[in-house]
Amino acid sequence: MRISSLRLQLLAWVVLPLAGLATVNLWTSHGNALATADLVTDRMLVGSARAIAEQVAMDDGVLYATIPPAALEMFDTGDRDRVYYRVETAGGRLLTGYPDLPKATQRDSIEASYRDHRLRLLTLSQAVIGAGADSPIKVTVGVTLAGHDAMVKRLWLGAFAQQLALVAIAGLFVLLGLRRGLAPLIRLRDAVRSPSRSELDPVEVPGAQSEIRPLIDALNAYMARVRAQMAAQRRFIANAAHQLRTPLALLSTQASYALRETAADQRQEALVALQASSGRLARLAEQLLTLSRAEPGSRRPRADRIDLTEAARQVLEAHASRAIERDIDLGLEETGPVPVIGDGTMLREMIVNLVDNALRYSKPGGSVTVKLAAVGSEAQLTVTDEGPGIPPEEREHVFERFYRIPGSSEEGSGLGLAIVHEVVENAGGSVALGDAAAGGLKVEVRLPLNGS
């Protein structure tokens, strides 16, 4: 099961490895406890065997073995262990004890089964003065493992309790540290969710660590972008409402005039004007929609492979009748396909707005030329006309939405070049304005060339 809490995840990453280390330590502690119990038991066996061997002596030429009580009582640890012993001469003659007791390696303890009990045994050799061939004697002492196992258990449980306490204390300190360390995140959450926040103002979290500061900065930068987009949308709606108000009022006036007129020719004139106004209004609505689609984030990014030459040819064919009506020479200069990658619909709208502006501002009898070429790694689109041009001091402003050059007599919405600017920027290109050779305007668009 996946843990969704950051606090629990951090706690798990700290405590679980610590618990794993404690488990390894417990395993080694069990080995240490077993070695300690073996050492203590062997020392007791050596002490018991030496106490018995010291009581073996010659009396009137006879070898006697006496078992001192202290040699057996040293194993009385309260665990009810049984002690077995055997004393024999060098030739193997039994002096006292249990004759069937297993033999142990000299001075090395062993474990063996005896009378349904597990024993730990040890054999000690010691010389006896005057014993002759019976010397040295061998004393074997064995003890059951109840006390030995109890010692291992006590030592291991003590180590286990210590390790458990260390893990618990470490977990407690980690929780306290996480509570203090995550406090800035909690304050950040509270600041973002605060009911008093009605605006997307920057969030400040005093005492935030250097690891959390980038998150706060990124959140503030994101809110700044959202504020900018919201402000742009409010300006766009206000400007669009302002721009639509005049054409709608004009339509209403022209419709009322046509309804009042009784003369056929005057009514026809009013209807023609009404049709022209509705066309301009439709064009304005189309440009508003195009500009809205050109906004960053308003559409899913597309990567169409577009031939700008073919797109320009289609646009010019669509505008040919308008150019003929105004006696404008509309031409295309190209040397072949110019492929680019981008949103095909928006790139065609860019060319439409460039050609529409050029035809709108060119005088009858003039010319509009669209030129396409691949220059290095860039696609270059140039549209020139023989209109009045744009003064250099105004060229930075004409890309703003709804901006009109003061004193301009031509009808327009001020959206054409704004649309071109948005589309070109989204495609990773650039647009520049200059003077045409014939004194009109030259618009030069550069886009990344698709070389594949």
Side-chain angles (χ1 to χ4, degrees):
M1 182 179 64
R2 185 176 180 180
I3 302 176
S4 59
S5 170
L6 177 61
R7 182 183 287 107
L8 292 180
Q9 286 183 1
L10 294 175
L11 179 64
W13 277 107
V14 173
V15 174
L16 290 181
L18 185 60
L21 292 176
T23 302
V24 175
N25 195 19
L26 285 175
W27 179 73
T28 58
S29 297
H30 184 270
N32 293 334
L34 183 61
T36 301
D38 290 344
L39 179 63
V40 171
T41 303
D42 290 348
R43 293 292 176 86
M44 293 172 65
L45 289 172
V46 171
S48 177
R50 181 170 287 112
I52 294 174
E54 289 176 352
Q55 297 299 319
V56 177
M58 296 291 296
D59 187 8
D60 296 332
V62 179
L63 189 62
Y64 289 95
T66 304
I67 306 299
L72 304 180
E73 290 175 355
M74 67 175 59
F75 295 101
D76 186 13
T77 59
D79 297 300
R80 297 183 180 181
D81 277 318
R82 298 177 64 88
V83 183
Y84 302 93
Y85 56 88
R86 184 179 70 246
V87 181
E88 59 184 358
T89 64
R93 180 169 61 87
L94 180 67
L95 297 180
T96 185
Y98 299 84
D100 56 345
L101 186 66
K103 294 182 179 180
T105 306
Q106 183 74 12
R107 299 189 67 86
D108 289 333
S109 62
I110 64 170
E111 290 188 7
S113 296
Y114 181 68
R115 295 185 180 182
D116 298 328
H117 295 292
R118 292 290 299 172
L119 299 181
R120 191 169 185 86
L121 303 104
L122 185 139
T123 299
L124 177 69
S125 296
Q126 182 166 312
V128 178
I129 299 176
D134 290 334
S135 181
I137 62 170
K138 294 181 180 180
V139 180
T140 300
V141 180
V143 64
T144 56
L145 299 178
H148 174 275
D149 294 342
M151 185 184 302
V152 172
K153 184 178 181 180
R154 286 193 296 270
L155 291 173
W156 186 79
L157 286 179
F160 177 79
Q162 292 177 359
Q163 297 296 327
L164 185 62
L166 286 176
V167 172
I169 293 173
L172 178 61
F173 278 106
V174 169
L175 276 177
L176 293 176
L178 289 176
R179 182 176 181 181
R180 184 177 181 84
L182 295 178
L185 282 178
I186 302 301
R187 292 198 296 270
L188 175 61
R189 179 202 64 186
D190 296 340
V192 173
R193 296 172 56 183
S194 175
S196 60
R197 287 182 57 83
S198 57
E199 298 292 339
L200 295 173
D201 298 325
V203 177
E204 292 296 335
V205 181
Q209 300 92 335
S210 59
E211 292 81 4
I212 301 177
R213 179 57 57 185
L215 173 62
I216 300 174
D217 295 340
L219 180 61
N220 289 334
Y222 176 76
M223 289 192 296
R225 291 196 300 270
V226 172
R227 288 198 306 271
Q229 290 182 355
M230 292 177 63
Q233 289 179 353
R234 285 194 293 266
R235 290 194 304 270
F236 178 79
I237 293 173
N239 292 332
H242 176 73
Q243 292 294 324
L244 289 173
R245 184 184 306 159
T246 300
L248 288 174
L250 181 59
L251 281 176
S252 177
T253 302
Q254 291 171 339
S256 300
Y257 180 77
L259 289 174
R260 291 196 305 267
E261 284 296 331
T262 56
D265 55 344
Q266 293 180 351
R267 177 177 294 180
Q268 179 67 21
E269 182 181 354
L271 290 175
V272 170
L274 181 62
Q275 184 181 29
S277 297
S278 63
R280 288 192 293 271
L281 182 61
R283 176 59 181 164
L284 176 59
E286 182 181 350
Q287 286 186 313
L288 288 172
L289 180 59
T290 301
L291 187 59
S292 176
R293 290 175 177 173
E295 287 279 354
S298 61
R299 286 163 58 92
R300 179 177 297 177
R302 296 178 58 178
D304 304 325
R305 190 176 188 275
I306 303 299
D307 180 8
L308 284 184
T309 302
E310 181 60 28
R313 184 178 291 110
Q314 294 173 0
V315 172
L316 265 60
E317 290 175 356
H319 286 75
S321 59
R322 182 180 171 194
I324 293 173
E325 289 177 2
R326 300 198 59 192
D327 191 23
I328 295 176
D329 181 15
L330 181 61
L332 174 65
E333 296 181 7
E334 49 90 6
T335 58
V338 180
V340 296
I341 295 294
D343 190 322
T345 302
M346 302 310 298
L347 290 173
R348 291 186 185 92
E349 284 295 327
M350 173 196 69
I351 301 175
V352 167
N353 281 275
L354 288 174
V355 174
D356 180 77
N357 274 2
L359 291 174
R360 183 184 305 276
Y361 289 97
S362 290
K363 297 179 180 180
S367 66
V368 173
T369 303
V370 178
K371 183 178 179 180
L372 281 155
V375 181
S377 61
E378 291 182 327
Q380 182 175 315
L381 168 66
T382 305
V383 179
T384 58
D385 60 48
E386 297 180 359
I390 298 177
E393 64 272 10
E394 296 288 342
R395 291 174 184 173
E396 293 184 1
H397 302 289
V398 293
F399 292 115
E400 300 176 6
R401 301 172 183 182
F402 305 107
Y403 183 81
R404 299 294 309 282
I405 298 177
S408 176
S409 59
E410 295 294 333
E411 295 182 356
S413 62
L415 291 176
L417 290 178
I419 293 173
V420 172
H421 186 264
E422 290 286 348
V423 173
V424 171
E425 277 204 342
N426 290 342
S430 62
V431 56
L433 304 181
D435 295 324
L441 179 68
K442 179 177 75 172
V443 182
E444 185 177 272
V445 174
R446 291 181 180 270
L447 298 172
L449 190 67
N450 177 30
S452 60

